[in-house]
Amino acid sequence: MSNATGCAGAPTTTDPCARCDVLLGLSEVSVESVERAETSMTVTVSTPWHRMGCPDCGVVAPSRGRRRRVLHDVPHGDVRVRLVWRQRMWRCPEAGCPRGTFTEQVPTLVAARGSITVRAVAWAIGQLRREHATIAGLARRLAVSWWALWRAIKPVLERLAGDESRFAGVRSLGVDEHIWHHGDRHVRGPKELTGMVDLTRDEKGRVRARLLDLVPGRSKKAYADWLNERGEAFRAKIAVAALDPFGGYKAAIDDQLADATAVLDAFHVVKLGTAVVDEVRRRVQQDTTGHRGRKGDPLFGIQTILRAGAEHLTDKQWARLTRALEANDAHEEVFVAWQCAQDLRAAYHARDLADGRKLAEHVLNSFHTCPIPEVARLGRTLRRWRDAFLAYFDTGRQNNGPTEAVNGLIELHRRLARGYRNYDNYRLRMLLAAGGLTT
Ligand SMILES: [Zn+2]
């Protein structure tokens, strides 16, 4: 708001700067007055007089006065801000025109029939995304209900989600499964969602992973349909398609992205290795003690150590690990499985991609012959996925950070967004959290 048009009327406060700041960016309305109490501020605004024609017939309409509309605005710290909008009303004088009385609309101030200002909605969306706020917390700060806030936010997110331009420029595409609820699938629909992630590098070579979409189900069809909906121009530009080792996604890629190189996502492969160590540890634990791990058992409490990269272990952790593995000859299997998982990790962590590829080939040539059944099974899985596994080292484009980062954001926001029992709402919330929507 400029000073030329603002600060009109008779102010009831002596702080003109605050009055201007509070409505910064709203050029259509002027401040009539500002009243401050200890925990709230009331700003009365209106538009300058203007000639108004009937929206239906265009005849100049005489004023019917104004009405007060109370809007919730962005809070100032702990101070709640209410805008009282003295909304103009008119009446069409034309006999036979169906319009009758009509009220002023200022779309930059508030949506028609809305009670939360446009900029408060934008503020809330920013808080959700950047500050990991919750709808409930923001609704409290705005002094509105959860539903009132979500009703105001949802159309904005829908508009952003419906904008296909957000899919432009994707060259490297990841796909991944997400479990979004553990409820009854007959009531709430599929527990699994398929998530698409943009893994394209920017000019500086960095991947700023964005969650592009979430669709119900984990199947070839879920992914293939989504790819199909994006259109030929989108699909033709995908050079690298990353995926977790799931045949359905691979089949969708083969169908829809025939020219793209399928690459196993490093994050998922490393996780498979970790899962093998966990399985072997649990089996050996059961075999040697006859029960599941409990306090005092040597293999109990080293799960975290076994999951970490060897290079990150402290001396104390090394000592604990060694003690646990030496406690019983049968623990040798856990040690071997752990070493295998470390080899797999090392392939991805190799500074030089050619070195990494050699390590990966060694994994492919050795794991399936391992006498430990869990390791051998992982070896067979990787051999089935040989091309996609090795493609990582040839494309030189993927790393496990981005997918992991997106998964982390989804996890965090899923905990924050416990209230979302509806897929559409959940999808919008996750797209906002994990970068799919740009405002
Ligand atoms: Zn009219």
Side-chain angles (χ1 to χ4, degrees), residues 274-328:
T274 312
V276 161
V277 182
D278 259 355
E279 271 181 71
V280 175
R281 181 187 55 78
R282 280 198 302 269
R283 176 172 57 76
V284 171
Q285 161 78 36
Q286 188 75 36
D287 289 352
T288 51
T289 65
H291 57 72
R292 290 177 48 172
R294 57 173 81 133
K295 216 172 168 187
D297 292 336
L299 290 180
F300 183 80
I302 60 164
Q303 292 100 313
T304 327
I305 298 177
L306 289 173
R307 272 174 211 150
E311 74 279 12
H312 295 312
L313 295 185
T314 63
D315 289 347
K316 217 173 137 192
Q317 286 174 315
W318 269 114
R320 265 183 78 193
L321 182 63
T322 313
R323 230 175 14 251
L325 296 175
E326 285 174 352
N328 188 321

Side-chain angles (χ1 to χ4, degrees), residues 23-26 28 69 71-74 83 85 105-112 114-126 142 149 152-153 156 159 439:
L23 282 181
L24 201 68
L26 280 181
E28 279 102 320
R69 235 174 100 190
L71 308 175
H72 302 267
D73 198 27
V74 182
L83 288 194
W85 177 23
Q105 297 302 330
V106 180
T108 54
L109 177 63
V110 65
S115 65
I116 303 169
T117 62
V118 166
R119 59 183 203 147
V121 171
W123 167 81
I125 289 173
L142 287 167
L149 180 55
I153 286 174
V156 179
R159 185 167 45 74
T439 47

Side-chain angles (χ1 to χ4, degrees), residues 38-339:
E38 203 171 314
T39 58
S40 69
M41 176 150 64
T42 305
V43 182
T44 305
V45 300
S46 62
T47 58
W49 182 89
H50 52 285
R51 186 189 292 267
M52 189 65 190
C54 168
D56 283 339
C57 67
V59 166
V60 172
S63 171
R64 295 284 288 168
R66 303 174 190 233
R67 67 174 187 191
R68 281 166 53 92
R69 235 174 100 190
V70 179
L71 308 175
H72 302 267
D73 198 27
V74 182
H76 277 210
D78 291 337
V79 177
R80 278 177 188 160
V81 179
R82 288 194 314 166
L83 288 194
V84 174
W85 177 23
R86 301 214 304 125
Q87 190 179 23
R88 293 176 185 275
M89 296 163 69
W90 297 276
R91 184 179 171 78
C92 176
E94 188 70 9
C97 175
R99 176 57 67 159
T101 302
F102 57 96
T103 51
E104 178 179 36
Q105 297 302 330
V106 180
T108 54
L109 177 63
V110 65
R113 286 183 294 281
S115 65
I116 303 169
T117 62
V118 166
R119 59 183 203 147
V121 171
W123 167 81
I125 289 173
Q127 293 282 313
L128 285 174
R129 177 158 58 194
R130 288 186 296 273
E131 310 300 329
H132 309 312
T134 63
I135 299 276
L138 294 171
R140 257 196 313 278
R141 292 190 63 192
L142 287 167
V144 299
S145 70
W146 191 100
W147 276 108
L149 180 55
W150 181 247
R151 260 200 311 272
I153 286 174
K154 190 176 180 180
V156 179
L157 300 189
E158 277 173 334
R159 185 167 45 74
L160 297 170
D163 178 3
E164 287 275 325
S165 72
R166 68 195 182 87
F167 300 117
V170 180
R171 303 283 177 277
S172 181
L173 181 67
V175 63
D176 192 7
E177 170 204 44
H178 298 277
I179 307 293
W180 82 285
H181 70 77
H182 299 279
D184 184 344
R185 63 174 66 241
H186 299 292
V187 180
R188 295 185 58 188
K191 293 172 203 275
E192 304 88 7
L193 299 177
T194 292
M196 277 59 70
V197 180
D198 179 10
L199 299 170
T200 310
R201 290 188 180 277
D202 64 16
E203 359 19 284
K204 288 187 187 133
R206 286 197 319 156
V207 180
R208 298 178 58 104
R210 300 182 293 148
L211 178 69
L212 290 173
D213 223 331
L214 283 172
V215 296
R218 168 182 168 83
S219 63
K220 173 190 173 184
K221 189 176 181 329
Y223 191 28
D225 285 354
W226 184 86
L227 288 169
N228 193 37
E229 280 165 27
R230 298 285 76 73
E232 181 53 40
F234 172 85
R235 293 193 300 275
K237 285 186 184 132
I238 306 297
V240 175
L243 74 165
D244 64 2
F246 170 56
Y249 292 156
K250 179 63 165 54
I253 290 169
D254 291 345
D255 262 23
Q256 298 284 333
L257 302 173
D259 297 333
T261 307
V263 183
L264 275 195
D265 194 280
F267 168 68
H268 287 100
V269 176
V270 170
K271 244 171 72 176
L272 289 180
T274 312
V276 161
V277 182
D278 259 355
E279 271 181 71
V280 175
R281 181 187 55 78
R282 280 198 302 269
R283 176 172 57 76
V284 171
Q285 161 78 36
Q286 188 75 36
D287 289 352
T288 51
T289 65
H291 57 72
R292 290 177 48 172
R294 57 173 81 133
K295 216 172 168 187
D297 292 336
L299 290 180
F300 183 80
I302 60 164
Q303 292 100 313
T304 327
I305 298 177
L306 289 173
R307 272 174 211 150
E311 74 279 12
H312 295 312
L313 295 185
T314 63
D315 289 347
K316 217 173 137 192
Q317 286 174 315
W318 269 114
R320 265 183 78 193
L321 182 63
T322 313
R323 230 175 14 251
L325 296 175
E326 285 174 352
N328 188 321
D329 284 349
H331 294 178
E332 172 79 12
E333 277 195 282
V334 180
F335 180 60
V336 173
W338 178 74
Q339 274 188 321

Side-chain angles (χ1 to χ4, degrees), residues 331-353:
H331 294 178
E332 172 79 12
E333 277 195 282
V334 180
F335 180 60
V336 173
W338 178 74
Q339 274 188 321
C340 288
Q342 293 296 326
D343 286 352
L344 193 52
R345 260 185 108 255
Y348 287 113
H349 285 252
R351 221 168 251 279
D352 182 71
L353 279 176

Side-chain angles (χ1 to χ4, degrees), residues 147 150 154 180 188 419-427:
W147 276 108
W150 181 247
K154 190 176 180 180
W180 82 285
R188 295 185 58 188
Y420 289 89
R421 303 183 62 82
N422 167 291
Y423 156 73
D424 292 323
N425 294 347
Y426 180 83
R427 168 178 175 265

